[in-house]
Amino acid sequence: MSVMIVACPQCKQKLAIQAYVSVGNMLVCADCETNLKIVSIKPIKIVKVTLDETYNQDARPESYG
C-alpha cells in the first residue's frame, strides 16, 4: 500500500498518510495532537484547523447524543 509523508505544520513531526485519503479528510498529529486537514493530495499538503472547526456531527458524534 502506498504511503505519503508530510510534516506537521505545528511540530514538524513526519506523518505517514495512506494513499486512499482524500481532500477534506481531517486527522490529528500523533506527536502534538494538532487537528489537521488535507487540502491537496498531489503534492500532499495539510493545514492546521481550529478546534471549533472540528465540532460537527460527523467528527464528534458523541457530543451530539
Side-chain angles (χ1 to χ4, degrees):
M1 190 173 278
S2 180
V3 175
M4 298 173 280
I5 305 295
V6 65
C8 172
Q10 180 73 23
C11 69
K12 308 303 182 215
Q13 172 73 30
K14 290 182 181 176
L15 305 171
I17 309 294
Q18 296 290 338
Y20 59 81
V21 298
S22 60
V23 172
N25 283 131
M26 303 208 37
L27 55 129
V28 176
C29 176
D31 191 37
C32 66
E33 298 182 3
T34 301
N35 293 300
L36 305 167
K37 185 178 198 177
I38 298 173
V39 293
S40 174
I41 296 294
K42 292 188 180 185
I44 184 75
K45 183 176 178 186
I46 57 176
V47 294
K48 182 179 174 183
V49 295
T50 63
L51 188 60
D52 291 339
E53 291 180 67
T54 66
Y55 292 137
N56 61 50
Q57 291 179 337
D58 295 329
R60 311 249 187 215
E62 66 276 4
S63 63
Y64 288 88

